[in-house]
């Protein structure tokens, strides 16, 4: 009866997330990650838990509607999704920052210097809109689904809002981060009803995750 | 504006229900309203629109974002009611000299919220609920909780649970720890969203003695033992009074035999700011949203009429109960016996006969639908074709007036047939022979 359905993020975060869940006894240790990532859905016979592999941006959708009881994805994605999800633990992997970055040659170093009606390319339109509204800066948002740093190079946008972990990609494209909107790392999110109907199992996982990170 | 494309659409987030689902909803409504009346609750009707200023007084600023607003010819801002508690409180406050307390009222009404349309969340939805006004004791709290459980049970749900919390417990802790208003607001917001990462990060940044209790709070959920654990954590009169109140409610619910349906959750925060005491929410597996919610609001009426009137109430989501029943594969409807009355069209004589016969059947409480013969493709279609041909749902018997003298009766389940001569006082004979 103790099985949970867990939505995992495909891609760069997946390996470290799977390792943490293995340590917490939620995935059996001998499961091969290469093998897992080739499937969309699989059941771990040893622990009884089921896993579905989704794009990080889709994980909140599966969890919100209860197709998965819990899920793991970045805080940046949760903020952008903006829906009612319970966020229970910080797995402290996949750390990155969501920043405002401007081409070097514009010579802008502070938010206040951004001209009105600048065009901002981003794949985080909601967070970007809220942020600039709070700052009282009117901007025009251009939504892209990837390679956002390309937009200023071809004059599609004046600046960008994107995630960065080491800053290498930004530097390579001569973009200077001038403000951090939020720090992000991977989080454990839970469907609001599953949190109640599966309280024991979910809190068991939570306790083991906290033990692991030592807080 | 492309108005033409809207012609066949319901406005976004609003639904039209055709008979199949509408009947299920109406019968659920009837069952639950009947149960409310067994407890002495009588229906009230309030306006669909309210003045914005009146609602705001009751509900605070929190909900204004999700309101449908418009302006009348005098320039007043009107809103479509987003819930029923504040409108009922306003109406009762306006007629205090006409009523006697305690007052038990019930409602079934559509409410409107401007939410992002998504599965399970409509902008117009139906709520059933009760308000018990003028009773402030634990027995009144238990009455509301037990009635909520019993109503869900009578609707046919088995696998559901009510989480019960208390606003006073957290408020006691907030006073005990000496939190500022800003901290209180932030902490309640994190708890409401169950953002434990946000809560812990926020608490980590506070210089505050005893803040560990607040980290524990979301974990204070479970059977009655949780109340003891909570008691050890808190050291103030308000929190302890809240726990005493919950313990009393527990005793009443236990006596009623409904312990299987309740869980205590001291981290439970409900959205509306008018709650002052016990609060509760109901949910069921397989449905990602609450089935019901409610709580005690002892100062809401005071905002309208400066008289303190303790009160408690709850609302059930009618459509959500139907979805939950569907998910649990429970059948919702017990259909009445239904007969189809077919008549040949000639000079209208047989149609007149059909009206007379239908009257006899309906007087006995039998659903009777009249269908001219020309609407039926074949004279004797197979049993399962009748329903779709006549589009009336299930059919039990077919009465066929073939000519002015003979009535053919066919029972569809057994295939049994008989005929009655339509002579003399045939109205009585129909029942004699059956």
């Amino acid at each position: 009866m103790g099985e949970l359905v867990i939505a995992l993020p495909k891609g760069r975060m997946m390996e470290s997330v799977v390792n943490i869940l293995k340590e917490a006894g939620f995935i059996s240790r001998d499961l091969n990650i290469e093998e897992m990532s080739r499937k969309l859905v699989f059941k771990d016979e040893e622990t009884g838990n089921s896993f579905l592999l989704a794009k990080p941006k889709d994980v909140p959708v599966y969890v919100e509607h209860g197709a998965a009881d819990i899920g793991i994805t970045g805080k940046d994605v949760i903020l952008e999704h903006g829906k009612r999800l319970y966020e229970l633990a910080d797995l402290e992997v996949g750390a990155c920052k969501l920043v405002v970055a401007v081409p070097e040659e514009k010579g802008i170093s502070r938010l206040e210097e951004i001209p009105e009606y600048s065009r901002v390319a981003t794949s985080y339109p909601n967070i970007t809109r809220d942020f600039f509204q709070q700052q009282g800066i009117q901007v025009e948002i251009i939504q892209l689904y990837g390679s956002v740093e390309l937009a200023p190079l071809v004059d599609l946008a004046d600046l960008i809002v994107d995630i960065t972990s080491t800053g290498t990609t930004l530097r390579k494209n001569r973009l200077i981060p001038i403000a951090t909107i939020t720090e992000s790392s991977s989080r454990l999110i839970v469907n609001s009803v599953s949190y109640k109907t599966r309280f024991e199992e979910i809190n068991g996982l939570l306790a083991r995750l906290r033990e692991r990170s030592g807080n | 504006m492309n108005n033409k494309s809207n012609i066949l659409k319901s406005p976004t987030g609003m639904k039209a229900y055709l008979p199949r689902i509408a009947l299920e909803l109406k019968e659920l409504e009837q069952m639950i309203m009947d149960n409310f009346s067994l407890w002495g609750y009588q229906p009230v009707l309030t306006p669909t629109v309210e003045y914005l200023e009146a609602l705001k007084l009751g509900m605070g600023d929190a909900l204004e974002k999700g309101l449908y607003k418009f302006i009348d010819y005098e320039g007043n801002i009107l809103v479509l009611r987003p819930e029923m508690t504040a409108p009922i409180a306003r109406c009762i406050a306006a007629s205090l000299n006409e009523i006697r307390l305690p007052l038990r009222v019930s409602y079934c009404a559509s409410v409107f919220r401007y939410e992002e349309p998504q599965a399970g969340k409509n902008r117009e939805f139906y709520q059933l609920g009760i308000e018990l006004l003028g009773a402030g004791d634990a027995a009144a709290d238990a009455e509301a909780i037990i009635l909520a459980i019993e109503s869900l049970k009578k609707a046919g749900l088995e696998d559901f649970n009510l989480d019960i919390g208390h606003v006073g417990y957290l408020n006691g802790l907030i006073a005990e720890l000496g939190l500022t208003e800003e901290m209180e607001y932030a902490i309640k917001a994190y708890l409401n969203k169950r953002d434990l990462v946000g809560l812990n990060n926020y608490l980590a940044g506070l210089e505050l003695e005893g803040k560990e209790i607040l980290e524990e709070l979301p974990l204070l959920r479970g059977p009655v033992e949780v109340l003891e654990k909570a008691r050890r954590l808190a050291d103030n009169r308000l929190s302890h009074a809240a726990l005493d109140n919950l313990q009393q409610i527990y005793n009443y619910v236990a006596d009623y035999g409904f312990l299987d349906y309740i869980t205590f959750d001291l981290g439970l925060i409900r959205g509306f700011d008018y709650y002052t005491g016990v609060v509760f929410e109901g949910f069921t597996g397989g449905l990602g949203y609450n089935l019901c919610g409610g709580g005690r609001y002892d100062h809401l009426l005071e905002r309208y009429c400066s008289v303190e009137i303790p009160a408690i109430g709850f609302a059930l989501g009618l459509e959500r109960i139907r979805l939950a029943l569907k998910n649990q594969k429970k059948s919702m409807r017990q259909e009445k016996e239904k007969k189809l009355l077919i008549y040949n069209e000639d000079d209208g004589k047989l149609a007149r006969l059909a009206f007379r016969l239908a009257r006899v059947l309906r007087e006995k409480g039998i659903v009777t639908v009249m269908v001219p013969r020309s609407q039926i493709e074949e004279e004797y279609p197979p049993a399962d074709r009748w329903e779709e041909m006549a589009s009336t749902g299930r059919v039990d018997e077919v009465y066929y007036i073939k000519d002015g003298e003979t009535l053919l009766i066919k029972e569809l389940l057994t295939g049994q047939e008989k005929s009655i001569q339509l002579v003399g006082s045939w109205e009585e004979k129909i029942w004699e022979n059956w």
Side-chain angles (χ1 to χ4, degrees):
Chain A
M1 279 303 285
E3 312 87 14
L4 291 170
V5 181
I6 302 162
L8 292 176
K10 278 199 281 197
R12 74 186 169 93
M13 270 198 292
M14 181 155 155
E15 189 171 351
S16 39
V17 165
V18 167
N19 286 336
I20 290 173
L21 290 176
K22 279 184 177 175
E23 279 174 47
F26 240 63
I27 303 182
S28 44
R29 289 186 177 274
D30 43 347
L31 266 182
N32 182 325
I33 189 159
E34 301 262 313
E35 208 174 300
M36 278 167 68
S37 39
R38 278 196 292 271
K39 293 180 184 166
L40 291 176
V41 191
F42 68 93
K43 189 172 168 126
D44 180 350
E45 298 297 341
E46 199 180 307
T47 62
N49 295 317
S50 297
F51 297 84
L52 53 93
L53 305 186
K55 282 197 158 196
K57 286 202 170 183
D58 289 336
V59 167
V61 182
Y62 286 95
V63 175
E64 188 201 353
H65 293 283
D69 297 304
I70 65 178
I72 289 159
T73 192
K75 177 70 177 173
D76 52 330
V77 172
I78 300 168
L79 283 174
E80 177 64 23
H81 183 70
K83 295 285 165 53
R84 195 181 165 83
L85 292 163
Y86 289 175
E87 185 184 326
L88 297 193
D90 186 349
L91 269 59
E92 293 164 351
V93 294
C96 59
K97 284 192 277 192
L98 193 65
V99 298
V100 181
V102 189
E104 209 175 61
E105 69 271 15
K106 299 238 179 199
I108 291 174
S109 59
R110 298 183 316 139
L111 283 175
E112 299 81 69
E113 295 165 16
I114 295 174
E116 290 274 287
Y117 307 115
S118 290
R119 296 160 300 161
V120 187
T122 184
S123 50
Y124 297 86
N126 294 330
I127 301 179
T128 303
R129 189 181 316 109
D130 290 350
F131 177 75
F132 282 104
Q133 245 165 35
Q134 272 167 23
Q135 300 294 324
I137 303 169
Q138 278 204 50
V139 294
E140 192 181 302
I141 290 168
I142 296 170
Q143 185 179 357
L144 297 173
Y145 291 91
S147 306
V148 174
E149 59 284 350
L150 174 61
L153 296 180
V154 296
D155 198 33
L156 174 66
D158 303 307
L159 57 150
I160 68 166
V161 167
D162 203 11
I163 49 165
T164 171
S165 45
T166 59
T168 320
T169 314
L170 291 182
R171 264 196 305 278
K172 249 180 16 204
N173 293 292
R174 312 209 312 145
L175 290 160
I176 311 288
I178 59 164
T180 300
I181 297 180
T182 182
E183 312 246 339
S184 173
S185 56
S186 54
R187 306 290 162 91
L188 175 72
I189 54 174
V190 177
N191 174 273
S192 58
V193 169
S194 296
Y195 179 69
K196 301 190 166 191
T197 53
R198 318 303 296 276
F199 191 73
E200 300 290 319
E201 296 93 321
I202 289 168
N203 262 314
L205 172 62
L206 195 58
R208 273 174 303 203
L209 288 176
R210 283 189 174 164
E211 226 168 82
R212 194 196 132 268
S213 66
N215 64 44
Chain B
M1 284 275 237
N2 188 355
N3 284 330
K4 205 172 171 200
S5 63
N6 282 339
I7 284 173
L8 289 178
K9 279 190 207 152
S10 292
T12 308
M14 309 210 170
K15 267 188 178 158
Y17 291 111
L18 294 179
R20 193 174 57 81
I21 293 174
L23 268 171
E24 288 176 358
L25 290 170
K26 279 288 170 191
E27 283 182 13
L28 272 177
E29 173 192 332
Q30 189 68 48
M31 261 189 283
I32 293 168
M33 291 299 276
D34 284 351
N35 195 44
F36 290 166
S37 66
L38 273 180
W39 290 63
Y41 288 82
Q42 294 180 325
V44 283
L45 297 168
T46 73
T48 307
V49 294
E50 293 276 340
Y51 289 117
L52 174 65
E53 57 205 275
L55 269 198
K56 236 168 118 175
L57 184 64
M59 306 186 61
D61 298 334
L63 213 75
E64 204 182 335
K65 227 174 91 187
L67 291 177
Y68 276 92
K69 287 181 234 173
F70 48 100
I71 296 170
D72 70 9
Y73 284 110
E74 283 88 44
N76 302 300
I77 304 177
L78 299 174
V79 295
L80 292 177
R81 60 184 173 207
E83 54 103 63
M84 285 298 286
T85 300
I88 288 176
R90 177 193 69 73
C91 295
I92 300 298
S95 6
L96 276 186
N97 51 351
E98 296 168 41
I99 56 146
R100 285 182 60 136
L101 296 172
L103 180 69
R104 289 177 166 81
V105 298
S106 62
Y107 59 84
C108 176
S110 58
V111 298
F112 304 84
R113 291 183 201 166
Y114 204 83
E115 297 198 65
E116 283 299 304
Q118 52 170 310
K121 290 207 170 165
N122 294 334
R123 288 182 177 173
E124 176 183 24
F125 52 98
Y126 296 86
Q127 284 194 334
L128 294 142
I130 59 104
E131 313 291 345
L132 169 48
L133 305 136
D137 55 351
D141 295 336
E143 174 167 329
I145 287 168
I146 292 168
L147 180 50
I149 296 172
E150 198 177 75
S151 302
L152 291 172
K153 275 169 70 78
K154 289 213 170 153
L157 278 176
E158 263 311 314
D159 174 27
F160 65 89
N161 195 71
L162 250 64
D163 265 15
I164 304 175
H166 201 294
V167 173
Y169 184 73
L170 177 58
N171 285 344
L173 291 178
I174 286 166
E176 183 185 327
L177 298 173
L179 298 186
T180 64
E181 223 168 273
E182 188 194 330
M183 293 177 192
E184 173 181 348
Y185 181 82
I187 288 168
K188 283 185 172 170
Y190 285 124
L191 281 173
N192 189 25
K193 284 191 295 182
R194 297 265 169 179
D195 179 356
L196 302 197
V197 177
L199 178 67
N200 288 351
N201 289 346
Y202 182 77
L203 290 174
L206 288 185
E207 293 275 341
L208 194 68
E209 206 161 313
K211 63 185 181 186
E212 300 74 29
I213 306 172
L214 297 174
E215 287 169 18
E216 290 263 344
L217 197 62
L219 303 175
L220 289 176
R221 181 178 181 276
V224 67
E225 290 76 27
V226 165
L227 300 184
E228 277 319 302
K229 199 177 161 197
R231 195 177 292 274
R232 287 194 298 273
L233 287 171
D235 185 22
N236 69 79
R237 202 184 46 79
L238 193 56
S239 295
H240 284 192
L243 294 170
D244 292 340
N245 182 213
L246 290 176
Q247 180 67 46
Q248 279 176 298
I249 294 169
Y250 172 85
N251 295 341
Y252 290 125
V253 175
D255 293 340
Y256 212 85
F258 280 175
L259 275 192
D260 286 350
Y261 298 99
I262 63 163
T263 302
F264 289 101
D265 182 359
L266 293 167
L268 178 66
I269 304 258
R270 300 230 346 117
F272 301 121
D273 81 339
Y274 49 60
Y275 287 120
T276 55
V278 66
V279 286
F280 54 98
E281 279 178 357
F283 51 86
T284 178
L287 189 75
Y289 317 95
N290 291 340
L291 287 169
C292 69
R296 172 161 290 288
Y297 52 95
D298 285 348
H299 302 304
L300 177 56
L301 277 97
E302 203 180 333
R303 294 184 193 174
Y304 289 109
C305 62
S306 311
V307 184
E308 196 183 313
I309 298 172
I312 184 165
F314 66 79
L316 306 163
L318 183 61
E319 287 131 311
R320 290 181 180 182
I321 295 175
R322 182 185 158 272
L323 281 180
L325 284 167
K326 221 172 97 184
N327 289 348
Q328 293 179 13
K329 308 253 181 324
K330 298 267 164 60
S331 75
M332 268 164 274
R333 301 202 49 225
Q334 282 134 16
E335 273 195 88
K336 280 189 180 167
E337 199 180 349
K338 191 181 273 178
K339 311 209 169 179
L340 215 55
L341 187 59
I342 317 283
Y343 55 95
N344 271 334
E345 300 128 300
D346 51 357
D347 51 3
K349 219 178 87 193
L350 295 187
R352 290 174 66 188
L353 205 53
F355 270 104
R356 279 172 63 197
L357 177 57
R359 178 181 169 177
V360 176
L361 294 168
R362 288 180 191 133
E363 273 171 356
K364 291 277 180 187
I366 295 165
V367 179
T368 308
V369 183
M370 292 168 53
V371 187
R373 166 71 186 86
S374 59
Q375 282 181 15
I376 309 285
E377 292 163 17
E378 323 155 46
E379 197 164 353
Y380 289 106
D384 56 343
R385 293 285 321 272
W386 282 108
E387 305 178 13
E388 48 178 299
M389 283 199 304
S391 70
T392 52
R394 204 188 76 193
V395 176
D396 301 285
E397 271 182 354
V398 176
Y399 283 60
Y400 183 21
I401 306 176
K402 218 172 165 178
D403 52 50
E405 280 156 25
T406 330
L407 173 67
L408 289 172
I409 300 177
K410 186 179 170 88
E411 200 185 328
L412 293 182
L413 199 64
T414 59
Q416 222 180 348
E417 275 186 31
K418 62 171 190 167
S419 67
I420 288 172
Q421 293 303 305
L422 293 173
V423 289
S425 50
W426 55 266
E427 281 100 333
E428 284 153 37
K429 268 197 287 185
I430 290 178
W431 305 113
E432 277 165 29
N433 296 345
W434 208 235

